[in-house]
Amino acid sequence: MAPMRSCSLPAVDDVPASPGRTYALVGAPNVGKSVVFHRLTGAYVNVSNYPGTTVEVARAPVRFAGGATLLDTPGALAFPSRSDDERAAMRALLHEDLRAIVQVADAKHLRRSLAITLALAETGLPMVLALNMSDEADARGMTIDGPRLAQALGVEVVRTVATTGEGLRALAQATTRARSASAQVAYPAGVERLIADTAQRLAERLPRAPIAPRALAILFLGRDPEVEAWLAVHAPGAMRDLVLLREDAERRGGRIASAIAHARAEAAGRIAAVALASRGAAPMRSTRIGRLVLHPVWSLPILAAVLYLTYLFVGDFGAGTLVGWTEEQLFGGTVNPAVTRFVEAHAPWPWLASLLVGDYGLWTMGVTYAIALVLPVVTTFFLAFGFLEDSGYFARLSVIANRGFARIGLNGRAVLPMVLGLGCVTMATLTTRILATRRERLIATFLMALAIPCSAQLGVVMGMLGAIGFVWVAGWAGVLVAVIALAGFLAARLIPGRRIPLVAEMPPLRWPVAGNVLKKTWGRLVWYLREVIPLFLIGTFAMWALDLLGVLPWIVERAEPLVTGWLGLPKEAAAAFVMGFLRRDFGATGLFAMGSALTAAQALIGMVTITLFVPCIASVLMIGREQGALRAAAMLAMIMPTALLVGGVVRLALAALGVA
Amino acid sequence: MTRTSTALDLLAPGTSARLAEPDPSLEPTFREHLAAYGLVPGHVVTVLAQRPMTVVLCDHVELALEAVVARKLRVEAPLPQG
């Protein structure tokens, strides 16, 4: 048996001659890379108990080596890269002048982790292996022989528990001593000949490649798109011949990537068998609860309880109690009267007083709205979201919701951005990157832009329709769900491409770590306020200017036939829709301010229309960034008429039901 | 000689079985994706649930597989329990 070919890697000649000052964390999704990153740098990135939440490469100075930096790459399940996350990780390997790789691995899944180790070993870059979550492996009765594993791989292996900090000092020390791995996979003879041939051709053209020619050859033969793109730039003359070589080989022997994956998995399995001893352990309590959460019968009452508790915390406590205090007592009763008195006493010009504390005042509308109304709602939402995320519940929710999402061309992974969209659609648009294909990202982005209300808007809707009666809130939610179902159904059929079935890892269900939840909430709040407060102020200023120039009354006049005729709302509601251009929740607030001027039916029609109307400016910008300006414009062109159409249909339906 | 195999989604919860070669209609890219999760022929998995989706224990990690995937993953005869 010769599973591993122990040979000297061409490290000295083939990796960059002058090692850089950058270290990279690489590893599968949800193995704790971001926590290790935080421990080694002090910098915080979004840490979740949900695979795929590091959507961009983060970079920060390390504590253990002066002047050096550490990269946190998105989760890579395997190389050659396929997903966007894997491509980002591969880009880091190709484009960064790396001193060493720190592979963060899930100790519970040693075999899978070692397949990545073997792929990284081929790069020739110095590396160290962190066996993270070792406490969870212990709890499952696993014993990993670290020294034996280190000997088999030829790199240092460090046991870590990143959440508690165990082993992080040793990991930092080992990283400074990192060396190239000695272990290599022996591929089938035909594949090995191809690799050797390709590597030789590359070595001749690329004397100073960032990773070893053998790795470049394997990744190219495995059709890694990042390596292909890199080679097209750095070895354009060789590409044509190499592509012909690969195609000819695949015609004769089948897909090379499959042979690579198979050989690596086998080699990893053999090393794992040598280093791992498992004793039978009783199922853990978290495992038993995890099964209950997915149980065909119990999953639904558990889901209902989770939703109800979330509603109590966000809707009742956040949007009710907290907002009641901040908006009515703090701002309405104390802060705003004082600011207004001060400004009116000291402002040299009336227009300045109007700009600051008038109907559309930067303080009385913009700041008050952002701080008094929105902040308590988003804070409680992000706390609840962070709690559920850290508990591992979302991964299970993706399984429960998968069937429903399948009908709209998505799979259960879309649960995370969709639910996050209830907090902030802009942030959720960014999070669609966790979805596997561009098609899924497009559908999810479109549906969120169309019909997912953000928490600020939810707060306003709850305040307005909730005051009229629960049935009106349920009616509003029912219309939105119907719109999502119909729009998703159509999008799934009209947007070319096919749906990817769900294959998902279930992280352990656990009681959330308070520090993680608070840090996540803080990170999201800072992002949100930085993004939102300037937009609130810009939006308020635009409203003030439109009002001053008489444009607002003009638009209200022009929109009257549509607003009063088709939607059956008072003509003043048109102003709310103009505000909705700036932020949907702004528009909802405009309707909210009309209060008793609207009947219950008009409140429902207005809220449905404004919810669907347009995403906020920040969301539109984010959609443009993620999907391109053309698609963002096309979405807007579809969303606005849809909102008005649905609003009118709701009016007709209510009229047919005899509800005025 | 080919041994008979059955679809993973037909295995009762609590049953362990060794993975066989997957159905030929399973796309190579998907097969590679599953290999990255550790689901390779010869490896033993334990079925934890079949509804709402197939959930298997692979090594010490739970993986949820949509029916269309579980149907194409084949297993050899179930291993004796215990």
Side-chain angles (χ1 to χ4, degrees):
Chain A
M1 180 180 83
M4 307 300 304
R5 196 154 56 89
S6 191
C7 68
S8 57
L9 278 177
V12 176
D13 295 332
D14 297 323
V15 297
S18 56
R21 304 285 293 152
T22 306
Y23 298 86
L25 292 180
V26 183
N30 209 36
V31 294
K33 286 187 300 300
S34 296
V35 189
V36 172
F37 182 77
H38 173 63
R39 293 274 179 187
L40 294 179
T41 63
Y44 178 74
V45 289
N46 190 16
V47 178
S48 303
N49 188 19
Y50 190 95
T53 39
T54 302
V55 288
E56 284 179 328
V57 173
R59 185 192 302 265
V62 284
R63 288 166 166 164
F64 60 82
T69 57
L70 183 67
L71 301 179
D72 180 25
T73 63
L77 198 58
F79 296 111
S81 63
R82 297 282 180 259
S83 69
D84 284 356
D85 286 354
E86 287 163 1
R87 292 182 64 164
M90 181 51 68
R91 267 200 301 278
L93 296 180
L94 291 169
H95 296 276
E96 298 285 345
D97 186 13
L98 292 179
R99 165 72 185 84
I101 297 169
V102 180
Q103 188 200 343
V104 184
D106 181 349
K108 300 192 297 297
H109 210 323
L110 187 63
R111 200 166 53 94
R112 189 176 86 187
S113 305
L114 289 176
I116 301 175
T117 312
L118 292 170
L120 294 174
E122 285 161 351
T123 66
L125 290 167
M127 64 181 291
V128 55
L129 173 62
L131 286 181
N132 198 31
M133 302 176 172
S134 288
D135 53 340
E136 294 180 9
D138 293 345
R140 285 161 175 77
M142 300 170 67
T143 308
I144 297 170
D145 187 337
R148 207 163 179 184
L149 187 58
Q151 194 181 15
L153 295 170
V155 296
E156 284 196 56
V157 177
V158 184
R159 175 194 153 94
T160 60
V161 182
T163 47
T164 64
E166 182 190 328
L168 269 298
R169 187 185 292 266
L171 179 64
Q173 288 166 352
T175 302
T176 58
R177 303 188 295 263
R179 59 178 187 271
S180 302
S182 58
Q184 275 200 30
V185 180
Y187 296 103
V191 177
E192 279 292 349
R193 276 196 297 277
L194 261 178
I195 292 170
D197 187 3
T198 309
Q200 190 183 347
R201 292 181 196 215
L202 290 173
E204 285 164 7
R205 287 175 183 270
L206 298 161
R208 292 169 66 85
I211 61 176
R214 177 175 168 85
L216 280 174
I218 292 167
L219 293 162
F220 169 78
L221 292 168
R223 296 178 179 271
D224 185 304
E226 286 301 322
V227 169
E228 287 180 339
W230 190 88
L231 287 176
V233 172
H234 294 88
M239 279 302 276
R240 193 174 158 272
D241 285 351
L242 289 178
V243 170
L244 287 174
L245 184 74
R246 181 176 66 189
E247 284 178 0
D248 182 51
E250 290 200 327
R251 254 195 310 277
R252 286 183 283 113
R255 196 174 150 85
I256 301 168
S258 295
I260 291 169
H262 195 78
R264 270 200 201 132
E266 285 202 335
R270 283 189 288 258
I271 299 180
V274 168
L276 177 67
S278 282
R279 59 182 159 77
M284 298 166 66
R285 195 174 59 173
S286 66
T287 309
R288 290 198 300 272
I289 299 172
R291 286 175 202 171
L292 210 58
V293 167
L294 285 180
H295 190 272
V297 175
W298 290 109
S299 61
L300 293 177
I302 291 172
L303 175 61
V306 167
L307 290 176
Y308 182 66
L309 290 173
T310 307
Y311 168 77
L312 279 186
F313 185 61
V314 181
D316 209 41
F317 175 68
T321 311
L322 283 183
V323 169
W325 184 77
T326 51
E327 195 189 20
E328 288 165 25
Q329 294 185 33
L330 183 66
F331 273 73
T334 310
V335 177
N336 283 1
V339 172
T340 304
R341 271 196 305 275
F342 179 83
V343 170
E344 283 175 348
H346 294 88
W349 308 287
W351 65 263
L352 185 61
S354 150
L355 174 64
L356 294 174
V357 293
D359 283 346
Y360 299 109
L362 292 178
W363 182 271
T364 41
M365 189 176 194
V367 175
T368 303
Y369 187 55
I371 305 294
L373 190 65
V374 177
L375 193 60
V377 182
V378 294
T379 305
T380 46
F381 178 85
F382 287 150
L383 274 171
F385 188 87
F387 184 93
L388 291 174
E389 187 182 27
D390 207 55
S391 72
Y393 183 70
F394 277 136
R396 282 152 183 90
L397 190 56
S398 71
V399 170
I400 297 167
N402 187 56
R403 185 176 290 216
F405 278 106
R407 297 208 171 98
I408 55 173
L410 298 171
N411 70 38
R413 272 176 81 81
V415 151
L416 192 84
M418 290 291 209
V419 177
L420 186 58
L422 293 170
C424 173
V425 172
T426 312
M427 194 181 286
T429 303
L430 184 68
T431 312
T432 56
R433 289 186 188 181
I434 66 165
L435 303 180
T437 63
R438 285 188 68 81
R439 178 177 182 269
E440 288 177 15
R441 291 194 285 271
L442 178 62
I443 294 175
T445 303
F446 173 66
L447 295 179
M448 286 194 296
L450 174 66
I452 298 286
C454 66
S455 56
Q457 198 178 18
L458 269 175
V460 181
V461 171
M462 296 285 177
M464 187 171 189
L465 296 179
I468 303 171
F470 176 75
V471 68
W472 297 93
V473 178
W476 168 82
V479 172
L480 294 190
V481 170
V483 169
I484 289 174
L486 185 63
F489 178 82
L490 292 173
R493 273 140 196 88
L494 295 175
I495 297 173
R498 63 195 175 86
R499 185 182 159 271
I500 305 292
L502 182 68
V503 175
E505 183 180 328
M506 302 287 100
L509 206 61
R510 68 181 187 204
W511 186 255
V513 181
N516 281 357
V517 177
L518 292 175
K519 278 180 202 160
K520 262 185 282 202
T521 304
W522 176 248
R524 287 185 170 127
L525 277 178
V526 168
W527 186 92
Y528 185 80
L529 291 175
R530 204 179 280 158
E531 193 83 24
V532 163
I533 287 196
L535 282 166
F536 273 17
L537 296 178
I538 292 167
T540 310
F541 178 78
M543 293 301 294
W544 175 82
L546 288 175
D547 188 49
L548 191 74
L549 297 171
V551 179
L552 213 51
W554 182 83
I555 295 175
V556 169
E557 204 69 34
R558 298 283 134 180
E560 189 181 341
L562 198 61
V563 173
T564 59
W566 174 243
L567 294 176
L569 299 174
K571 68 174 184 180
E572 292 76 21
F577 289 106
V578 177
M579 290 157 79
F581 270 114
L582 303 165
R583 284 190 61 86
R584 283 197 292 202
D585 43 333
F586 242 37
T589 312
L591 288 175
F592 188 63
M594 293 173 71
S596 56
L598 298 176
T599 65
Q602 285 175 326
L604 176 63
I605 296 163
M607 282 301 175
V608 164
T609 313
I610 203 77
T611 305
L612 299 175
F613 196 47
V614 276
C616 69
I617 291 177
S619 292
V620 173
L621 292 176
M622 187 61 82
I623 294 169
R625 199 176 113 181
E626 294 294 304
Q627 295 284 340
L630 201 64
R631 282 183 171 177
M635 279 189 204
L636 283 184
M638 278 189 275
I639 286 170
M640 288 170 61
T642 305
L644 295 170
L645 177 71
V646 174
V649 170
V650 171
R651 180 181 70 85
L652 294 174
L654 288 172
L657 291 169
V659 183
Chain B
M1 187 183 83
T2 56
R3 275 185 290 182
T4 54
S5 65
T6 182
L8 180 65
D9 71 334
L10 296 177
L11 228 54
T15 314
S16 298
R18 197 174 294 281
L19 288 167
E21 280 296 326
D23 191 288
S25 66
L26 186 67
E27 281 179 43
T29 49
F30 220 89
R31 195 180 297 202
E32 290 156 22
H33 188 64
L34 294 174
Y37 275 113
L39 297 171
V40 288
H43 198 69
V44 175
V45 294
T46 303
V47 175
L48 300 177
Q50 287 291 9
R51 287 177 60 206
M53 279 169 63
T54 303
V55 180
V56 296
L57 193 64
C58 177
D59 294 340
H60 292 268
V61 177
E62 292 179 30
L63 296 170
L65 308 163
E66 201 172 309
V68 68
V69 179
R71 205 171 297 140
K72 290 182 178 177
L73 278 176
R74 314 286 301 180
V75 288
E76 293 170 4
L79 298 169
Q81 291 190 31

